[in-house]
Amino acid sequence: MHIQMTPAACALDTSKQKQRKCLEGYSLTISSLLPEVPVNKNCETKTSAKLSPLQAKVVARVMPDENARVQLWQNVGGCVPMNASQYFRTIINYAEKLKIPEELTSQETRQMQSAALRSKMVRLNSGLPVNGVQFSCQPSYAGSILTDIKICYKSNGAYRPCTGIVSSNCPSSFIIKGSF
């Protein structure tokens, strides 16, 4: 599951600044839950990404941009053994189960050690292996900024180590941008 550090994404990519997640000041959003598939496998689907009004409202709490949700489903729906409603319910279940360190949702911008954040994530989430969480950063004038966190799951929802394909590009210390 890919978790986007929304304040960082909004600050670093001006094309996102008009999206709901930026305008409404989300601290974290889910950007995807990707199935493990062979390289170059086409996962596109033409099946509907339409959700019931109630489910759409629940999903919008962690994935506020409906267009991004539809695009995500169209890109991965052909490689998941479920319909759109089940897929987004799975994302909600994973998001609700995942405990997030308060440093990731704070309003203040702070410097953080990668090892310390990883340790907190593992301690808060029983069963999450040390290599089951990966960080992605983007360089900026102020230093390296945390932009994404990836959590790796088995198909049954249990945490698992991330494969070698998923790796961290963050230095040992990075900036966590506070919410606006």
Side-chain angles (χ1 to χ4, degrees), residues 133-153:
V133 58
Q134 296 290 334
F135 304 125
S136 294
C137 292
Q138 186 173 325
S140 79
Y141 66 91
S144 201
I145 297 177
L146 180 66
T147 56
D148 292 277
I149 299 171
K150 294 173 185 85
I151 306 293
C152 297
Y153 295 91

Side-chain angles (χ1 to χ4, degrees), residues 32-135:
S32 65
L33 176 63
L34 300 177
E36 274 195 47
V37 294
V39 177
N40 298 329
K41 179 162 173 43
N42 182 352
C43 291
E44 290 181 7
T45 185
K46 299 288 184 216
T47 62
S48 174
K50 186 123 178 82
L51 304 175
S52 72
L54 177 60
Q55 188 177 16
K57 187 175 181 176
V58 170
V59 173
R61 292 194 316 239
V62 295
M63 298 180 87
D65 183 359
E66 183 179 2
N67 291 337
R69 290 193 309 261
V70 169
Q71 184 70 44
L72 172 62
W73 175 251
Q74 289 172 342
N75 288 338
V76 303
C79 289
V80 294
M82 53 187 89
N83 64 32
S85 177
Q86 294 164 326
Y87 172 76
F88 288 106
R89 187 175 313 118
T90 301
I91 289 175
I92 291 300
N93 290 341
Y94 288 5
E96 287 177 345
K97 180 180 145 188
L98 186 67
K99 293 176 181 56
I100 300 292
E102 63 92 21
E103 289 87 348
L104 296 177
T105 58
S106 172
Q107 291 187 349
E108 78 182 55
T109 296
R110 65 181 71 202
Q111 192 78 23
M112 184 95 190
Q113 295 293 320
S114 175
L117 182 57
R118 183 179 315 281
S119 175
K120 283 187 175 201
M121 295 282 300
V122 168
R123 193 172 60 249
L124 288 170
N125 295 283
S126 178
L128 178 64
V130 171
N131 57 354
V133 58
Q134 296 290 334
F135 304 125

